[in-house]
Amino acid sequence: MIRFGLSRIGIITEGIDSWSEAAAVLRGETPYRDGELAALKPAMLKPNERRRTTRTIKLALQVTETVLQDYPDRQDLLSVFSSSEGDLDIIDQICQALCLPDRPVSPTQFHNSVHNAPAGYWSIGSASQAASCSLAALDGGFSAGLIEAASQVFSEQRPVLLVCYDQLPPPLMQSVIPIRTPFAVALLLTPEQDSQPCLAHLQLRLDAQGEPDRLANQALERLRLSAPAARSLTLLEAVASELPSQHRCLNYLPGLNLHLTITR
């Protein structure tokens, strides 16, 4: 088993653009109302760099800025970026370009096509030379990212940033990729004995037993199922409740679940 601390949370989706808003909704203090996604303008990038990014990259960087506001040591922060499908806009644009006579793939499309493009822009914007890992695991994307980030916290005894994000697919892909809501979550994980204040302590284990937990609130359950990154709401609800100890089960890979024990 791996134990670690959870010290900061950032979240962006339709109708929510901060952890304080999300926590109030998850505790049932305010109802969840979807709406327009807040404008994505990550300040860590200069205007010329920001113009070269995609809406997927902007979403990942925006939630990163939310969770790391006033954080002093960005340059030394290990990071894990996880997305179920990668940048679907770039995939769509390149596939369409390859069907045209001259195959006009632009240099910007080409350099944004790699799966670690959001992590690359993060390293530019934060001036970080620390190690970064980029993952994709379809519906298990959040669990895969959490396992990887927690393993790095445990082995390196250093804070690790986890960023998990999914953006709406372009029209031609909507029938085969069931992502219905843009969603991004960022967690700052810390060693168990770290001096930073923690929202909760977590313990992970993998097991074939059990079924992934659902949310009792129907609107939030629909949101949880609307994007792989939103499976994180199972954990976030437990953290928001502020109960002394809870257990949650999240989907990971077929036949294997991620079990979390959340304590104060």
Side-chain angles (χ1 to χ4, degrees):
M1 295 184 182
I2 297 176
R3 291 180 58 87
F4 57 95
L6 171 57
S7 65
R8 296 188 181 201
I9 300 173
I11 179 172
I12 295 177
T13 187
E14 293 177 350
I16 296 174
D17 60 6
S18 70
W19 168 239
S20 59
E21 289 181 10
V25 170
L26 291 165
R27 285 193 294 264
E29 297 170 357
T30 58
Y32 173 65
R33 296 188 178 91
D34 58 5
E36 293 295 324
L37 190 69
L40 301 174
K41 296 181 179 179
M44 70 171 63
L45 295 180
K46 296 178 180 179
N48 283 340
E49 292 167 343
R50 193 161 59 233
R51 279 193 290 270
R52 291 196 294 268
T53 63
T54 65
R55 56 183 185 146
T56 299
I57 295 169
K58 288 184 175 74
L59 180 62
L61 297 185
Q62 190 86 35
V63 77
T64 301
E65 288 187 343
T66 299
V67 77
L68 292 181
Q69 187 175 13
D70 301 325
Y71 188 77
D73 300 317
R74 295 186 182 191
Q75 295 89 342
D76 300 321
L77 194 58
L78 302 174
S79 61
V80 175
F81 285 74
S82 181
S83 172
S84 65
E85 303 275 359
D87 198 322
L88 298 173
D89 287 331
I90 288 295
I91 294 171
D92 178 63
Q93 291 167 17
I94 290 179
C95 286
Q96 291 198 51
L98 292 176
C99 293
L100 297 176
D102 295 329
R103 299 182 179 179
V105 176
S106 73
T108 298
Q109 289 174 334
F110 183 76
H111 84 241
N112 283 339
S113 67
V114 295
H115 188 65
N116 64 347
Y121 281 103
W122 146 255
S123 68
I124 293 170
S126 63
S128 173
Q129 297 185 26
S132 182
C133 175
S134 296
L135 306 174
L138 296 177
D139 284 349
F142 175 72
S143 293
L146 186 59
I147 292 168
E148 174 64 25
S151 299
Q152 291 192 28
V153 171
F154 184 78
S155 62
E156 301 292 333
Q157 288 299 296
R158 291 170 58 183
V160 176
L161 170 69
L162 169 62
V163 185
C164 190
Y165 53 94
D166 288 303
Q167 186 58 273
L168 291 173
L172 288 176
M173 296 184 178
Q174 288 176 1
S175 63
V176 293
I177 298 178
I179 298 175
R180 300 184 299 277
T181 307
F183 193 101
V185 59
L187 308 179
L188 183 62
L189 311 183
T190 54
E192 191 175 11
Q193 305 302 324
D194 196 274
S195 59
Q196 294 190 53
C198 275
L199 297 170
H201 292 275
L202 276 64
Q203 181 173 289
L204 308 184
R205 67 179 175 87
L206 294 173
D207 199 317
Q209 303 301 314
E211 293 291 333
D213 287 307
R214 300 175 179 271
L215 302 181
N217 182 293
Q218 292 185 0
L220 290 175
E221 176 62 10
R222 287 193 296 271
L223 178 61
R224 186 186 74 87
L225 295 174
S226 69
R231 306 299 195 272
S232 60
L233 288 170
T234 304
L235 166 61
L236 302 187
E237 183 196 41
V239 175
S241 72
E242 299 181 347
L243 294 176
S245 179
Q246 296 188 72
H247 176 268
R248 291 290 188 273
C249 179
L250 281 69
N251 63 296
Y252 177 39
L253 300 176
L256 192 61
N257 295 318
L258 176 62
H259 293 260
L260 306 175
T261 300
I262 304 103
T263 57
R264 297 293 162 181

